[in-house]
Amino acid sequence: MSIDLQTVKKIASLSRISVTDAEAEAMVPELNNILGWVEQLGEVDVTGVQPMTAVIPNHQRLRDDVVTDGNVRDKVLANAPQAEHGFFAVPKVIE
Amino acid sequence: MTELTDLTVAEIRDGFRAGDFSAREVAEGFNANVAAAKALNAFIVETPEKALEAADAADRAKAAGEALGALAGVPIGMKDLFCTQGVQTTAASHMLEGFVPTYESTVSGKLWAAGAGMLGKLNLDQFAMGSSNETSYYGNVISPWRRNDGGNAALAPGGSSGGSSSAISARLCPAATGTDTGGSIRQPAAFTGISGIKPTYGRCSRWGIVAFASSLDQAGPMARTVRDNAILLEVMSGFDPKDSTSLDLPVPQWEANLSSDLKGKTVGIPKEYRPDGLNAEISAMWDRGIEWLKDAGANVVEVSLPHTKYALPTYYIIAPAEASSNLARYDGVRYGQRDLPDGAGLQDMYAATRAAGFGPEVKRRIMIGTYVLSAGFYDAYYTQAQKVRALIARDFELAFEKCDLLLTPTAPSASFALGEKQADPLAMYLNDVFTVPASLAGLPAMAVPGGLDAAGLPIGLQIIGKALDEQTVLNASLAIEERAGFSARPDKWW
Amino acid sequence: MTESTYRIQGATGEWEVVIGLEVHAQVTSNAKLFSGAATAFGAEPNTQVSLVDAAMPGMLPVPNRECIRQAVRTGMAIDAQINKWSRFDRKNYFYADLPQGYQISQLYHPIVGEGQIAITLDEKNPETSTKVIGVERIHVEQDAGKLMHDQHPTSSYVDLNRSGVALMEIVSKPDMRSPAEAGAYLSKLRTILRYVGSCDGNMDQGSMRADVNVSVRKPGEPFGTRTETKNVNSVRFVMAVVEHEASRQVDVLEAGGKVVQETRLYDPDRNETRSMRSKEDAHDYRYFPDPDLLPLELDDAFLEDCRQSLPELPDAKRARYEGDLGLSAYNAATLTADADTARWFEALLAEAARIQKKGESDVAKASANWLLSELYGALNRLGKSLEESPVSAGEGAELLALVADGTISGTIAKQVFEIMLETGDKPGRIVEEKGLKQTSDTGAIEAAVAKVLADNADKVEQYRGGKEALFGFFVGQTMKAMQGKANPQVVNELVKKALG
């Protein structure tokens, strides 16, 4: 599979990374090069192989239902580019 | 008299306890070295006051006859991927410039609790994505090593933990933390003639470490000796209920059980790691390593890891896929940079913020990851990669039926000049060819220096062990360390 | 089982509507799904937020056992397959209420598989109006935060208090065929969740929201293109959405257009649905297993604990009320429609049986009638819920016992109940203090009857002349003379006797 300029732009948009036309054009061969290389995986026979789920055998532990956190608004907002009245602020969203 | 800054972690620890010197003297010595080494660009933030504060606390505790932590009196460097409370944490990105965590990562917290002091936050490849430290927003780290050809080409310290490797080999700190996703501890260690171990996935908590690829990221120590690595790893490891993938197991006494006697151990030599065209000096070093391990009493057998050639492509699907999602949180809303063009809406702000905040390699990987997860491609790329990953892990399991550990090169070459591979991402990715397979299988693996190549640059060896068997990895590395007698150090030019 | 006959009459003939609901139900838990922050409703903005919920760098999720347990219990309550092996996946998209840039959900391996819910459209005729709606799956996922748009002219504000609260997404099959079925399904689901205790069902506070999938087709044809109307938060609105969306689609199709598969919003003020500004890329969520979490493996002991902790469920309870207690289908349905009502009724029943030393089935009808007519009537008047009832189940049982043993008549009981509501006094004490005990003293009653007949000699004549309807008049006058305290049966007998 090889990707074109339009696909690169679509991926950039999905990734929320704005790219200029020139940047996108430069990325086309670059990404194709990498993707072409990883596509060699397609030749591996994986019949009957389950995808890896846990790299080291381990069980998902579950927490007790106890409130142990929160009430740290100052910490939560400490690094916010724009915080007002205890909220994070973002450009107005029209829904 | 030996400079205090030439001492190992064990020597500092023991000398401080014996009263040979104060912790403050040690901290001041390293602070001075750090301050004098700006040319290496190893640190993003220097924190001499933190080092002194911990040293003074250690001195006071000692004077009062209080119990001393395992690292009392030892200053270290902290890779700037670990969130440190009150100290800027950037992951070497513009995105997180100015970000001051209100929390401390589990691993760094354990180190401070053991008495270690922080010399500063070490430079790295941006979001740990890179093998040469050239992707840092704060400028590339420069290796203290130079070729013996009389030229002064600036060399790569390896990556992503290049600030750590450079600082240790230049005696700016006796040890440092690293993180390893596909070789980010081992390859820089090899490039700079030091040791570093990536433990079994799950030994060290990932809580508070800026995530790159969750199923691969693992913290570990870097230092000049195997013993020092054992000392630090004991402190850094341990179950953390805040990390679902943390292993709920006791931490072995790795230092106390160090032994370079390998009688009864079988070393596997994976034949797939010797491809046609393998650098002759690397190949020769590997042969020397085999002899050293035989000398230490081990049997040596050839083993096969048939899916080795697929490890890198597998890694370059899984790691970017996870990264594309892990890095989605950098959106300019809650922390870090925000780029808000005039009249921009929310989604425009995201796109502008992320375009300005991420470097080219990070963007490249996010885009690859986004693509391989996108509708219609998920199974062909991601699911296939996770299946191949299972096969790679099975290769190791089968090999370990015949042996106790594996010996391989760490990197396919010695350090290269900065800029040499930057233009070709693929060529850069190939640097991790020997380190990535163990990462995919979650296995403990260590880099240990073996000697210098003809250009006078360090080259090293890698020991890969069974899951949870860090002890054998450390012991075999110690056997190599003793026999290699690696004592070269870069001439100070900075 | 029943077939819906609901049809929309279009210009080109009849249309059938096909409905599926995706219900988001907030799991009842103290702490969030993956963090230790509290879930309580109505806190100050961003106070119930941990660093995990705010997706600070390096923060990691650890699942809350209770949330998993509640999802499993809910699955068991709808006879669903419980998957002992499930996984959390990441659903990736960018929005200001989604700090991680992904929602942790379950796409590929949900915790609960197929189940079913029986709905009844006419509670008076359950046999002919019950239908089984299939449930496709239940999965557990994180809620998002909240965006506020009206606080600032150029900014929206983000509150992450809800971010990371556990939700169950309960996905029905497209088995509903009318607004009434959709409404009944949502009501029944709410009833079950409240019985199980896995969700408080509080739709005003957003504890339950439904995404309503609607399509139309000519009967017998394949499914049409559906639209999804998001976040509908009441049974009434769900029914309205189905009605409006279905007729809108019929209009579109009959005008020669095509229904666009899209997300829509319901505007309750205008009672219409409208297309949401379509979110770019909204359909490429790039789901993949969350690498911060391991597969969720449930052992038999965990499942057994879930099963053991399930209460009697509404269908079983209703059958028991009808079968064992002999209640009418309608009363049984009404009393079991809500867990709190059933709990109140059962307390009343137990107390009434105990005081009267009878079996529960012997006192069930009187108890049910009193609760549904007297108590409900009074609560309606007072604008109070059953939980706020000024009269306790024990006091109600005492009142019923006084009627049952003949101490007071039903008429007096109504008076006593009014006094109970007003004063909070016990019924026994009221009867005692106000002298309301009914009398069976034949002498006093005979005297009263004699006086009534004497005072109304003309009417006695008419009665004897054949106007037998006047009998009730004499009884009434006697009761009045006795201030209502005469035993009505005795009065009847004595009036009859006196009139010869």
Side-chain angles (χ1 to χ4, degrees):
Chain A
M1 283 166 272
S2 122
I3 57 174
D4 55 15
L5 182 64
Q6 201 190 339
T7 310
V8 168
K9 286 184 173 174
K10 192 189 144 220
I11 303 167
S13 160
L14 260 179
S15 309
R16 293 298 183 280
I17 295 174
S18 68
V19 289
T20 62
D21 285 350
E23 284 169 330
E25 264 167 50
M27 283 178 181
V28 173
E30 216 172 75
L31 295 186
N32 271 323
N33 204 11
I34 296 167
L35 290 168
W37 170 68
V38 300
E39 271 165 21
Q40 62 179 293
L41 283 194
E43 72 197 40
V44 183
D45 180 4
V46 293
T47 313
V49 178
Q50 288 302 307
M52 180 178 273
T53 52
V55 58
I56 299 295
N58 197 353
H59 284 279
Q60 178 64 58
R61 278 167 288 105
L62 299 173
R63 250 173 49 236
D64 289 338
D65 183 29
V66 181
V67 175
T68 55
D69 210 339
N71 273 321
V72 289
R73 180 156 82 183
D74 291 348
K75 287 186 172 189
V76 166
L77 298 176
N79 282 285
Q82 194 191 353
E84 290 167 16
H85 310 301
F87 295 94
F88 296 101
V90 296
K92 193 143 194 123
V93 179
I94 297 113
E95 280 186 329
Chain B
M1 183 194 137
T2 322
E3 295 270 350
L4 289 178
T5 51
D6 284 345
L7 299 178
T8 64
V9 169
E11 288 164 348
I12 294 170
R13 176 190 66 185
D14 298 343
F16 162 66
R17 286 174 189 237
D20 298 345
F21 42 78
S22 69
R24 189 172 181 94
E25 289 174 84
V26 176
E28 283 174 345
F30 281 108
N31 279 345
N33 280 8
V34 170
K38 307 276 188 217
L40 298 180
N41 198 29
F43 286 86
I44 294 174
V45 175
E46 294 170 15
T47 56
E49 71 292 348
K50 293 265 175 198
L52 291 177
E53 195 183 303
D56 290 347
D59 285 333
R60 276 198 307 275
K62 181 163 181 294
E66 289 165 13
L68 296 173
L71 291 172
V74 181
I76 61 167
M78 183 60 59
K79 186 177 184 182
D80 199 26
L81 203 62
F82 292 79
C83 290
T84 45
Q85 185 164 6
V87 178
Q88 178 186 255
T89 301
T90 65
S93 68
H94 177 47
M95 182 64 88
L96 282 176
E97 194 171 10
F99 172 64
V100 180
T102 57
Y103 51 96
E104 187 76 37
S105 84
T106 298
V107 165
S108 56
K110 281 172 178 278
L111 288 163
W112 313 144
M118 180 162 73
L119 291 160
K121 301 297 291 288
L122 291 159
N123 205 344
L124 64 149
D125 276 299
Q126 193 170 140
F127 284 101
M129 298 176 188
S131 307
S132 66
N133 234 282
E134 289 164 289
T135 70
S136 170
Y137 175 74
Y138 302 93
N140 44 260
V141 178
I142 296 171
S143 171
W145 292 86
R146 284 178 170 178
R147 288 185 184 128
N148 57 13
D149 57 5
N152 289 332
L155 300 183
S160 66
S161 309
S164 307
S165 66
S166 179
I168 294 166
S169 68
R171 272 63 173 176
L172 312 186
C173 50
T177 55
T179 62
D180 192 315
T181 304
S184 280
I185 287 175
R186 294 162 283 162
Q187 184 255 19
F191 274 22
T192 56
I194 64 165
S195 307
I197 180 167
K198 178 196 91 69
T200 307
Y201 180 81
R203 276 281 192 207
C204 292
S205 169
R206 292 185 295 113
W207 194 89
I209 302 175
V210 175
F212 164 15
S214 308
S215 75
L216 293 153
D217 294 345
Q218 198 37 214
M222 300 168 78
R224 295 206 312 281
T225 68
V226 172
R227 175 171 300 274
D228 287 0
N229 275 287
I231 293 169
L232 263 83
L233 187 59
E234 271 182 46
V235 174
M236 293 165 72
S237 297
F239 174 60
D240 182 0
K242 293 188 287 190
D243 175 358
S244 288
T245 59
S246 171
L247 294 168
D248 190 0
L249 295 171
V251 178
Q253 291 186 299
W254 288 307
E255 188 197 5
N257 290 310
L258 279 177
S259 161
S260 56
D261 181 356
L262 300 182
K263 276 193 203 71
K265 294 285 182 191
T266 301
V267 179
I269 308 297
K271 61 180 182 190
E272 292 80 4
Y273 281 53
R274 203 187 291 268
D276 293 342
L278 176 64
N279 177 306
E281 290 188 278
I282 298 290
S283 185
M285 174 55 69
W286 194 4
D287 292 337
R288 228 170 304 156
I290 293 170
E291 292 312 312
W292 287 331
L293 293 182
K294 280 183 184 165
D295 183 57
N299 293 320
V300 174
V301 297
E302 188 184 74
V303 295
S304 174
L305 300 168
H307 295 90
T308 296
K309 72 174 271 207
Y310 299 110
L312 268 182
T314 299
Y315 177 85
Y316 275 96
I317 290 172
I318 292 170
E322 293 183 6
S324 71
S325 178
N326 281 337
L327 270 62
R329 65 188 55 198
Y330 303 107
D331 57 10
V333 174
R334 295 165 315 286
Y335 43 80
Q337 294 299 306
R338 167 184 288 194
D339 199 9
L340 182 58
D342 275 349
L346 180 70
Q347 302 293 342
D348 305 326
M349 179 187 90
Y350 289 158
T353 296
R354 292 163 62 78
F358 293 139
E361 181 61 25
V362 174
K363 290 181 193 171
R364 189 177 296 132
R365 297 205 196 184
I366 289 174
M367 297 212 9
I368 291 170
T370 301
Y371 181 71
V372 300
L373 290 176
S374 64
F377 300 107
Y378 174 76
D379 280 328
Y381 287 107
Y382 188 81
T383 307
Q384 178 76 4
Q386 288 291 17
K387 287 179 178 175
V388 176
R389 186 179 183 182
L391 289 173
I392 289 166
R394 204 179 66 186
D395 283 354
F396 280 108
E397 273 170 40
L398 293 175
F400 282 131
E401 289 176 1
K402 294 182 196 145
C403 63
D404 303 296
L405 65 148
L406 302 168
L407 176 72
T408 78
T410 308
S413 73
S415 173
F416 45 83
L418 291 169
E420 198 177 302
K421 303 195 180 198
Q422 215 175 2
D424 181 0
L426 264 185
M428 189 68 89
Y429 297 172
L430 293 172
N431 251 286
D432 296 330
V433 64
F434 298 133
T435 48
V436 151
S439 293
L440 289 170
L443 301 175
M446 183 161 200
V448 61
L452 300 179
D453 69 1
L457 298 181
I459 48 178
L461 291 161
Q462 175 180 230
I463 303 288
I464 302 171
K466 297 175 181 173
L468 307 178
D469 192 13
E470 285 82 0
Q471 191 69 60
T472 297
V473 173
L474 290 161
N475 288 353
S477 299
L478 182 64
I480 290 172
E481 181 179 271
E482 287 175 357
R483 283 161 183 77
F486 184 87
S487 59
R489 58 187 286 181
D491 292 331
K492 187 169 184 304
W493 53 262
W494 54 90
Chain C
M1 209 56 183
T2 172
E3 281 301 316
S4 173
T5 53
Y6 181 86
R7 294 287 184 271
I8 295 170
Q9 298 299 329
T12 60
E14 288 192 333
W15 295 83
E16 183 181 48
V17 56
V18 176
I19 309 141
L21 293 186
E22 291 168 25
V23 175
H24 290 89
Q26 180 180 331
V27 177
T28 302
S29 65
N30 299 313
K32 293 183 180 179
L33 179 54
F34 293 115
S35 87
T39 58
F41 179 79
E44 285 293 299
N46 290 311
T47 54
Q48 294 185 161
V49 179
S50 77
L51 301 174
V52 175
D53 307 317
M56 290 289 162
M59 295 298 98
L60 298 171
V62 181
N64 181 337
R65 180 183 298 105
E66 180 65 9
C67 301
I68 305 302
R69 185 173 162 272
Q70 292 289 30
V72 169
R73 293 174 74 245
T74 304
M76 288 173 168
I78 59 162
D79 284 328
Q81 183 196 322
I82 307 299
N83 294 323
K84 291 173 80 172
W85 194 99
S86 67
R87 268 213 91 148
F88 287 104
D89 301 305
R90 291 184 182 177
K91 176 182 184 178
N92 294 284
Y93 65 95
F94 288 89
Y95 204 58
D97 62 7
L98 190 73
Q100 295 164 140
Y102 54 85
Q103 177 194 37
I104 307 179
S105 181
Q106 298 187 300
L107 175 73
Y108 298 108
H109 299 280
I111 190 164
V112 175
E114 288 191 11
Q116 54 185 42
I117 292 176
I119 58 168
T120 304
L121 296 173
D122 176 3
E123 299 296 4
K124 288 187 170 143
N125 297 296
E127 292 81 8
T128 58
S129 71
T130 294
K131 177 172 176 178
V132 174
I133 307 297
V135 170
E136 185 71 41
R137 56 189 280 156
I138 301 177
H139 65 254
V140 178
E141 64 185 20
Q142 298 175 300
D143 202 352
K146 209 175 159 193
L147 272 181
M148 264 150 286
H149 307 297
D150 50 2
Q151 318 246 331
H152 189 278
T154 58
S155 295
S156 291
Y157 283 170
V158 186
D159 175 12
L160 298 179
N161 279 349
R162 289 193 71 91
S163 166
V165 167
L167 301 178
M168 290 179 281
E169 181 169 333
I170 303 154
V171 183
S172 84
K173 296 191 173 180
D175 286 353
M176 288 157 272
R177 295 289 179 271
S178 70
E181 288 183 12
Y185 170 83
L186 187 59
S187 301
K188 185 61 175 285
L189 177 58
R190 182 172 178 274
T191 298
I192 293 170
L193 295 175
R194 284 173 54 83
Y195 265 71
V196 171
S198 57
C199 171
D200 66 18
N202 198 329
M203 297 185 118
D204 303 339
Q205 294 177 1
S207 298
M208 262 181 99
R209 289 110 73 184
D211 296 344
V212 186
N213 289 297
V214 176
S215 65
V216 296
R217 64 175 175 187
K218 289 282 174 65
E221 286 186 358
F223 289 145
T225 304
R226 68 191 161 88
T227 62
E228 180 178 27
T229 305
K230 288 269 190 197
N231 285 331
V232 185
N233 66 355
S234 81
V235 171
R236 196 159 57 85
F237 290 165
V238 164
M239 294 169 70
V241 164
V242 172
E243 247 174 72
H244 286 81
E245 190 49 27
S247 56
R248 186 191 67 85
Q249 290 182 14
V250 167
D251 290 348
V252 167
L253 292 170
E254 295 201 327
K258 272 189 176 170
V259 173
V260 182
Q261 181 163 353
E262 63 179 354
T263 302
R264 299 179 70 84
L265 267 186
Y266 177 63
D267 181 345
D269 298 330
R270 296 178 174 195
N271 195 14
E272 65 182 24
T273 66
R274 61 186 153 82
S275 181
M276 278 173 90
R277 193 172 64 100
S278 94
K279 283 185 200 159
E280 201 188 349
D281 313 319
H283 295 299
D284 200 343
Y285 292 125
R286 290 158 285 135
Y287 280 98
F288 77 111
D290 191 327
D292 285 333
L293 293 162
L294 296 158
L296 196 56
E297 291 162 279
L298 306 177
D299 61 28
D300 291 335
F302 183 87
L303 297 184
E304 191 50 34
D305 170 70
C306 290
R307 203 174 296 282
Q308 291 297 334
S309 71
L310 280 182
E312 183 182 32
L313 292 164
D315 287 348
K317 200 181 275 296
R318 175 178 168 162
R320 181 167 65 83
Y321 283 10
E322 277 193 65
D324 296 358
L325 300 182
L327 300 185
S328 70
Y330 183 77
N331 280 0
T334 312
L335 289 169
T336 55
D338 181 81
D340 289 336
T341 309
R343 206 169 300 127
W344 213 98
F345 173 66
E346 287 179 11
L348 175 71
L349 200 59
E351 218 19 46
R354 189 186 65 79
I355 300 173
Q356 298 177 37
K357 299 190 172 60
K358 287 182 183 165
E360 288 193 349
S361 57
D362 300 321
V363 299
K365 273 185 194 161
S367 300
N369 287 337
W370 177 77
L371 193 159
L372 293 176
S373 53
E374 301 303 321
L375 182 61
Y376 265 27
L379 292 175
N380 254 337
R381 240 172 29 237
L382 299 171
K384 288 190 171 176
S385 71
L386 192 53
E387 291 96 285
E388 301 162 330
S389 168
V391 171
S392 73
E395 290 161 350
E398 208 184 309
L399 180 64
L400 288 171
L402 290 173
V403 177
D405 70 6
T407 307
I408 56 174
S409 67
T411 317
I412 294 293
K414 286 184 211 262
Q415 281 180 45
V416 173
F417 180 55
E418 287 304 323
I419 299 167
M420 287 166 74
L421 287 170
E422 255 168 56
T423 64
D425 282 348
K426 304 259 184 243
R429 190 166 153 206
I430 295 168
V431 169
E432 202 62 49
E433 281 182 357
K434 308 246 169 191
L436 296 174
K437 265 189 190 162
Q438 80 183 352
T439 179
S440 303
D441 175 350
T442 44
I445 299 173
E446 269 171 352
V449 171
K451 186 164 187 304
V452 167
L453 296 192
D455 290 352
N456 297 286
D458 51 336
K459 294 210 167 62
V460 173
E461 205 141 311
Q462 290 171 19
Y463 175 83
R464 288 188 175 134
K467 204 165 177 190
E468 290 185 5
L470 282 166
F471 183 78
F473 169 78
F474 300 121
V475 171
Q477 288 299 306
T478 308
M479 287 300 284
K480 199 171 164 189
M482 295 294 295
Q483 291 161 318
K485 287 179 286 181
N487 184 323
Q489 228 171 319
V490 177
V491 173
N492 258 319
E493 279 166 28
L494 293 179
V495 168
K496 197 172 275 177
K497 192 171 145 198
L499 288 169

